[in-house]
Amino acid sequence: MYRLAIQGLLLATGLAGLGLPRPAQALNAYCQVTQAEAEAKEELRRAAFSGNATAQPQYQAMVRQQAENLRRCRSQQWPQRQAVWLRLYPCDLQPGVLEAVMDRIVNLGYNEVYVEAFYGGQVLLPQADNPTVWPSVVQSPGYERRDLLAEAIEKGRYRGLRVDAWVFTLNFGYHYALRQDRQQVLALNGRGQTTQAFAKAGESSNPDEVFIDPYHPQAQADYARMLTAILRRRPDSVLFDYVRYPRGVGANSVVDSVDDLWIYGPASREAFLQRASNQQGRELMRRYISRGGLENRDIEDVRTLYPHEAEPLWQTRPPTPRQPNQPQSSADALRPQFQRELWQLAVAHAVQGVVDFVKMAEEQSRRGGVPSGAVFFPDGNQTVGTGGYDSRLQYWERFPTTMAWHPMAYAVCGHTGCILDGIRRVISMAPANSRPLIMPAIAGTWGQPTHNRPALETQMEAMRRALPEINAVSHFAYSWQDPEFDRVRKFCSLTRP
């Protein structure tokens, strides 16, 4: 059952034409071991965990030697950092299983692994040491004190791997939405829908994605508590994913009215109104988001209510220069202008909530001595048509440049052109004076096309030739590379040891 499913994936032939020098120790140009070495290590692992005292030191020696080979290879080969995205399962705590996972990751030439630590409304913390509002991933009897994240970090590093914690950000998950004491924390649109109700109505793709109001102090406190617990495990970095709002389907993939924005939760709504600079501005803003637009009488009303103020003002709107005794413009003339300005203000407010939340998380990680990265879609920050925006509102160019940037270059066009275009877009928009580390994530499998995407080695070679400034890449996902092993781990149908 543990036999490696990588025949044809260890690319020991056909590499001379890539123009890459061959590394030592029988590793190929992608720092992958031979099938024979992989099988020899697997046999030693099986024997070691079956109680063979002779095999144990031999297995450990082989693991250490391969760690050194990997370190040397990656220091000489492009890219110097090659990572893979990994979900762990409770069954990985069975004897020898986590070791097998990390061994296979090394076999495939990776020197970094992103372990999913907070996802789907669950957290990869032991039940006996879980201070968060989310349930633990591992809930098996007898495993209450087993720390799968800490063990993964330890076993990965023993094999020469950087081990990073991969965590969801604004997507707090289904379990969070079930809590009656957190209903006011959930993101809400102008039609009274949470993101879960929005998805159940068929307007986005996944009802398990439950997004929160980033302005809500309870959401911020819950997240900070979870992140503190993750940082205590001392991962090499933390990667923040789902730094955005939901991606709608069909017409809902574009937000083009204020009702589409997730700013109607009590905290976000109040923060929006606080962007007013005077009472006329606040009242006009309140009416705008309450009704989804303005009427002429709204402008006339606020003049009557607050006659001591010359005009409505809010952030981004300075006072209008006027000559003495100049009459006010008519409500009919001002309404289209005010409505355009308030639409832009509402969108900017929604975007700022996302940016501020990830800044808060980045600062907490940095204070804890752990670097961080942000995961995003290269096209998540685009305008659409005239006045519309991509529903994710993922303005990643505003993310801190102290973080690594991980653009998900998952575009599907049957060739590498669209994948490279997404990465080029990120490079072109990154600030030149404080450019972050850009570490693209690509999707696929070794040795064969998948989901209308070229094989990983094809994507990698295209990137190496076209974008030589990129020297760090990740692959989504480990489960795609070894689907049979992923399945048996997930459902605990492993053959011992």
Side-chain angles (χ1 to χ4, degrees), residues 90 127 138-146:
Q127 281 186 294
V138 179
Q139 300 190 30
S140 308
Y143 283 23
E144 292 84 1
R145 296 190 177 279
R146 292 290 297 275

Side-chain angles (χ1 to χ4, degrees), residues 310-467:
E311 61 181 327
L313 298 174
W314 44 78
Q315 288 178 10
T316 73
R317 186 166 201 280
T320 305
R322 281 195 177 87
Q323 297 299 322
N325 301 319
Q326 179 182 349
Q328 290 181 315
S329 299
S330 70
D332 187 56
L334 288 173
R335 184 180 57 79
Q337 175 190 341
F338 285 170
Q339 194 149 283
R340 284 193 304 271
E341 291 181 11
L342 287 173
W343 166 238
Q344 295 298 326
L345 181 66
V347 171
H349 172 71
V351 169
Q352 196 61 46
V354 175
V355 173
D356 287 348
F357 199 94
V358 77
K359 282 182 177 178
M360 175 195 73
E362 185 274 338
E363 289 170 1
Q364 181 180 349
S365 297
R366 185 155 37 88
R367 288 195 306 270
V370 178
S372 62
V375 187
F376 57 86
F377 290 101
D379 60 347
N381 60 346
Q382 296 191 80
T383 56
V384 183
T386 56
Y389 296 85
D390 185 294
S391 62
R392 293 167 290 189
L393 293 179
Q394 190 170 45
Y395 278 73
W396 45 263
E397 72 274 19
R398 303 184 192 178
F399 292 171
T401 55
T402 49
M403 312 174 80
W405 286 8
H406 297 260
M408 294 179 284
Y410 296 166
V412 177
C413 58
H415 55 83
T416 60
C418 54
I419 295 167
L420 295 176
D421 286 346
I423 301 170
R424 286 192 185 100
R425 184 170 189 267
V426 174
I427 293 172
S428 70
M429 295 182 70
N433 59 344
S434 59
R435 177 164 288 180
L437 169 67
I438 297 174
M439 189 169 182
I442 59 176
T445 61
W446 293 105
Q448 61 183 355
T450 306
H451 305 305
N452 202 31
R453 295 184 181 91
L456 283 177
E457 63 271 20
T458 303
Q459 297 183 52
M460 294 282 285
E461 177 58 11
M463 194 186 311
R464 187 184 71 86
R465 291 183 183 277
L467 304 168

Side-chain angles (χ1 to χ4, degrees), residues 162-229:
R162 282 176 54 103
V163 184
D164 307 319
W166 161 29
V167 294
F168 287 8
T169 308
L170 297 190
N171 175 8
F172 276 25
Y174 177 76
H175 291 287
Y176 197 85
L178 296 178
R179 296 183 64 103
Q180 291 304 307
D181 60 347
R182 294 297 190 275
Q183 295 305 300
Q184 295 298 305
V185 182
L186 305 181
L188 201 67
N189 65 17
R191 292 177 288 279
Q193 294 172 304
T194 65
T195 60
Q196 188 179 31
F198 183 72
K200 285 183 176 179
E203 296 173 306
S204 70
S205 58
N206 189 345
D208 291 332
E209 294 178 355
V210 176
F211 291 76
I212 50 81
D213 175 357
Y215 286 98
H216 204 293
Q218 185 66 65
Q220 296 166 9
D222 288 341
Y223 198 82
R225 189 175 301 110
M226 179 276 298
L227 186 54
T228 296

